[in-house]
Every structure is written in C-alpha cells, then in structure tokens.
Amino acid sequence: MNTDLSFITNEENQSLKKRFEVLIKDASFFDCLVGYFYSSGFHAIYPSLENTVKIRILIGISTSRQTFEMMGKANKPTQQAFDFSHAEAKQEVENLVQNEMAESEDNRNVESGVHKFIEWIRNSKLEIRAYPSQNIHAKLYIMTFKEGDRDTGRVITGSSNFTQAGLVDNIEFNVELKNRSDYDFAKDKFEELWRNAVDVSEKYVRTIQDKTWLTQNITPYQMYLKFLYEYFKDELSQTDEVFIKYLPQEFKKLEYQEQAVLNAKKILLEYGGVFISDVVGLGKTYISAMLAGQLDGRTLIIAPPVLLE
C-alpha cells in the first residue's frame, strides 16, 4: 500500500493519524497551529511522539457569543480583529479545557493521554500557547526531521483540527507539502505567531489537576456525591410526569412520592413486578394508588377491611 500520499482525506484507511505515525517518528520537532485542540484525543498519536525532542502547539482563541453580540450592537464588522488580554486568553483556555474534559469519555486511554500531555509540559518537551485573536483559523502541522534525514521537513495543511474527529473520524481534505520553500514559509509564519502568543501551559496543567475529573484532590464527600449521581442519574434525567385523575380533598402533592411512583413504574415495566415498602406514614398507600393510575388495564386491590371503612 502506498503511504506517501499528497492528499489525506481519512478515507480508505488513509487517515491523518496514520500519516502522522509515519512522519512524526522521524521528526525532531513537531509544531502545530490549530483552531481546536482536544488533549483528550492526544492519546491517538502520542506514542509516535515519544522520540520527538520538542512539541509546540498553538491554538486560536475564538470570541465568545457575548463578545460577538456586543460587536454587532456596536456596528463593528464581524471580521475585525478582536484581541484578548493575556489574562482573558488564559481564562478562555481554562474554560475550553473544563468543557472538553466534561464531555470527554471517562476511560483509561483518555486519562493516560492527558497524563502524558502533562508530563511532557512539566519536563518542557511540550509547550502550548494561545493566540489571543479570533481571526486565526488555520490548521497547520510542521514536522522538522533529524539532521541528515531525507529533507528538512514536511508540512501538512488542510481542514483537520488536532482532534480525534480531525485525525480519524471525519472526512477531511489535507495536503502534504514537501518542497523546501513551502516548509520555510510555514515555519517562518509559525514562529511569528508563536512569538505573539500567550503561554498557557501552566494554566492547562492547573485546570486539569484542579477543575476536572482527573483531579487527585477528591474528598470523601465529593466521592459520595459522585456515587449518588452515577447510581441515580437515570432517575434524575426522567422527564415523565405523574398523571393523577382522582385525588382526595386537600391532598398534598409531595415530590418524593411522585418520584417513587416514577421509579416503581420503571421497575415494574422492566421486571414485571415491584415492591413498595417504607416506614409508617410516608404514603405507601397513596404511592400505590397513584402507580395504579399510571398503568393500563384492570386493577385488583387486596386490602384490609379498615381501608374500606
């Protein structure tokens, strides 16, 4: 199979990830300029970067919706440059990292990739900066080979962001440039942008370690809350309502009783039966009656005579 393709579309087993695996293993330096970078997808290629001396990642910072609306109200052209301060750029990166990790898969591959990312930041192998302007929207990857290799380096540019989707899943359109003049132009432009960017490496590490699910500072109480959420998350997301046709006068609707009805109905439909049991006075009779009202078909009630009086 020919692995030296000029165009890379992620089709027919010719993904950008696979092309990176071929090129990066021989690269001393790897620079990338992207609009979106997801560190939780970093595990997709980091094994190929083990022998790389230096990795630099430059990301664009987009304006928030609020900023965009403010610019519109001021009748400013939407293409006009809007620069964040260094503090604002770092805060925006913190928000992006938190949102990314909140939506990422909770698995060992993601965790190992993020830990490797942090390890390389700590030992200065990897550096990440943010360009404080919304106008940057490039996707550029520069690989500089070891001295004496086939040539100075290669450039890949196109539609792929440095994400799992951009590297593998999406149909993309990228081109590999091999001419020295293309490499020199891309490298010079990257260096220019890099000099004007904000170092967010430490902000990234602190955000991961203090404000995401990868933090090591978890109290027993927080662990308990997490357990409760995982155990009851299906019930918490229920949107059904309890339909009640007949109610006694002055009946007081209680949320915990309605929740019990919904849970009992779920168990009944799944297993074909349900027990409703609790201490005296919490409304088991009402809960049972309301549950019967949610079900189709005839209802048989077996009760002590005192309830019929």
Side-chain angles (χ1 to χ4, degrees):
M1 178 184 295
N2 180 15
T3 59
D4 190 23
L5 299 178
S6 294
F7 294 101
I8 307 158
T9 62
N10 290 346
E11 295 177 294
E12 298 179 359
N13 206 33
Q14 294 290 345
S15 68
L16 183 56
K17 173 181 178 291
K18 289 185 178 295
R19 189 58 185 149
F20 276 154
E21 289 172 348
V22 172
L23 295 174
I24 292 176
K25 64 182 178 63
D26 298 322
S28 295
F29 301 95
F30 178 63
D31 299 321
C32 67
L33 169 62
V34 286
Y36 303 97
F37 170 77
Y38 286 89
S39 51
S40 57
F42 184 67
H43 66 273
I45 68 163
Y46 83 80
S48 301
L49 290 164
E50 289 284 358
N51 296 323
T52 304
V53 176
K54 185 70 176 181
I55 304 162
R56 296 186 299 177
I57 299 170
L58 180 57
I59 60 174
I61 296 293
S62 299
T63 54
S64 65
R65 177 176 295 274
Q66 181 181 11
T67 300
F68 182 84
E69 291 173 351
M70 289 172 60
M71 291 170 63
K73 290 178 181 178
N75 295 319
K76 295 181 180 179
T78 57
Q79 293 300 315
Q80 179 176 336
F82 181 88
D83 292 332
F84 285 90
S85 69
H86 284 202
E88 289 171 328
K90 291 181 179 181
Q91 183 59 50
E92 185 67 14
V93 167
E94 178 179 313
N95 296 338
L96 292 172
V97 172
Q98 284 185 265
N99 292 337
E100 174 208 344
M101 295 308 299
E103 297 174 3
S104 68
E105 294 184 29
D106 184 356
N107 61 48
R108 187 174 297 275
N109 285 338
V110 171
E111 185 172 352
S112 62
V114 173
H115 282 313
K116 179 63 69 172
F117 195 85
I118 292 175
E119 175 190 330
W120 286 351
I121 288 177
R122 289 299 194 202
N123 64 24
S124 300
K125 174 174 178 171
L126 187 150
E127 190 174 352
I128 181 168
R129 294 188 182 184
Y131 192 79
S133 169
Q134 94 281 10
N135 284 346
I136 187 170
H137 196 259
K139 290 90 173 177
L140 179 71
Y141 306 94
I142 306 171
M143 287 137 286
T144 303
F145 296 136
K146 299 178 177 67
E147 187 174 353
D149 204 318
R150 71 211 83 173
D151 47 43
T152 303
R154 300 288 174 86
V155 174
I156 293 178
T157 186
S159 61
S160 287
N161 276 305
F162 202 28
T163 63
Q164 172 68 23
L167 293 172
V168 179
D169 299 333
N170 291 346
I171 294 179
E172 304 279 0
F173 203 89
N174 303 290
V175 61
E176 180 179 335
L177 305 176
K178 306 172 185 178
N179 293 335
R180 176 62 185 267
S181 59
D182 294 327
Y183 168 85
D184 288 341
F185 178 84
K187 189 74 170 177
D188 290 344
K189 190 62 180 178
F190 182 90
E191 296 293 348
E192 175 189 334
L193 296 172
W194 185 260
R195 286 192 297 271
N196 295 319
V198 182
D199 190 339
V200 294
S201 302
E202 188 59 33
K203 170 63 76 172
Y204 170 86
V205 172
R206 289 203 308 270
T207 302
I208 288 289
Q209 293 182 337
D210 297 339
K211 298 185 177 182
T212 73
W213 56 268
L214 285 173
T215 180
Q216 300 298 313
N217 303 317
I218 301 176
T219 66
Y221 178 66
Q222 290 172 326
M223 183 66 73
Y224 172 67
L225 293 179
K226 176 65 172 175
F227 167 78
L228 291 179
Y229 171 75
E230 292 295 335
Y231 190 80
F232 291 110
K233 63 182 178 182
D234 290 340
E235 285 76 7
L236 291 172
S237 63
Q238 287 183 150
T239 58
D240 295 342
E241 295 184 1
V242 176
F243 173 74
I244 304 174
K245 187 174 182 180
Y246 302 106
L247 288 175
Q249 289 184 350
E250 300 182 359
F251 176 78
K252 184 177 181 180
K253 295 179 65 176
L254 298 173
E255 184 178 352
Y256 80 87
Q257 291 181 346
E258 292 191 356
Q259 190 66 47
V261 172
L262 293 174
N263 290 342
K265 181 181 178 182
K266 176 185 174 183
I267 295 171
L268 179 62
L269 295 177
E270 184 172 355
Y271 297 103
V274 63
F275 283 101
I276 298 175
S277 56
D278 214 327
V279 297
V280 175
L282 291 184
K284 295 184 293 298
T285 302
Y286 287 136
I287 292 171
S288 300
M290 287 189 287
L291 174 61
Q294 313 306 304
L295 305 176
D296 297 327
R298 301 174 63 185
T299 302
L300 172 64
I301 299 176
I302 302 174
V306 67
L307 292 181
L308 302 177
E309 296 178 357

